[in-house]
Amino acid sequence: MNLSAVEEAVRREIGVRLFTVLAWLPGRRVLHRAHTSHPDQYPIGGEKSVEVAADWLDRCINRRQPFFGPDAESVRQVFADHALIAELGCGSVINVPVIGADGATLGTLALLDAEHAYGPAQVERAVELAALAAPALAELVQRLDDNKEDS
């Protein structure tokens, strides 16, 4: 399943205003944007490193646990781009890790919607849907690793 199809499944089953898939590149410790519903604001290929909160990174990447922020304040505390997120009408976030067949973290899905749009049931479903992104994300991470090794 490609990442656009994953976005469609998320829209249909959970609902989302802003959807992003980030690939985790452990060698460089960056999140590489692989897919987005808003390419003008969040271009494909953009990378996040220093602006990612350490506790968020530990939770989603290292411990492979979802992050749930139900309101605008929780978004402000974690994301450096919170002003743009608010401009897009988003104030609630679910980040879930995408885990590969070998158990490694391949990246994350980021679902954002209006403040208080999400709750525990949506987090649980997002965790289930994250598995749909694993094959496409594994392929991308492998390709980026191959490119890095060639340079």
Side-chain angles (χ1 to χ4, degrees):
M1 176 175 284
N2 67 34
L3 298 176
S4 293
V6 175
E7 178 183 350
E8 290 171 22
V10 167
R11 285 191 183 284
R12 184 176 57 252
E13 297 188 34
I14 299 173
V16 65
R17 288 187 189 189
L18 171 61
F19 178 78
T20 305
V21 181
L22 298 164
W24 172 241
L25 305 178
R28 294 177 34 226
R29 295 193 53 79
V30 298
L31 291 161
H32 176 93
R33 193 170 304 105
H35 178 86
T36 180
S37 61
H38 288 67
D40 291 339
Q41 294 89 350
Y42 293 99
I44 299 293
E47 294 184 350
K48 294 182 171 192
S49 58
V50 295
E51 71 268 20
V52 179
D55 55 342
W56 180 94
L57 201 63
D58 182 57
R59 177 183 193 92
C60 288
I61 301 298
N62 298 331
R63 292 187 284 138
R64 298 174 188 95
Q65 297 175 348
F67 170 80
F68 172 49
D71 55 31
E73 180 55 31
S74 57
V75 171
R76 274 192 298 276
Q77 289 176 2
V78 176
F79 300 103
D81 57 341
H82 60 84
L84 177 54
I85 291 169
E87 284 178 26
L88 295 173
C90 299
S92 185
V93 61
I94 300 171
N95 295 117
V96 292
V98 177
I99 310 299
D102 63 356
T105 305
L106 298 170
T108 65
L109 301 186
L111 292 67
L112 293 99
D113 207 333
E115 194 167 32
H116 302 293
Y118 299 135
Q122 288 80 18
V123 174
E124 185 177 317
R125 187 63 185 132
V127 169
E128 295 167 355
L129 291 172
L132 299 175
L137 207 49
E139 182 181 320
L140 175 65
V141 169
Q142 181 62 47
R143 191 171 72 241
L144 292 173
D145 283 347
D146 288 346
N147 288 343
K148 190 179 92 173
E149 290 172 5
D150 293 343
S151 56

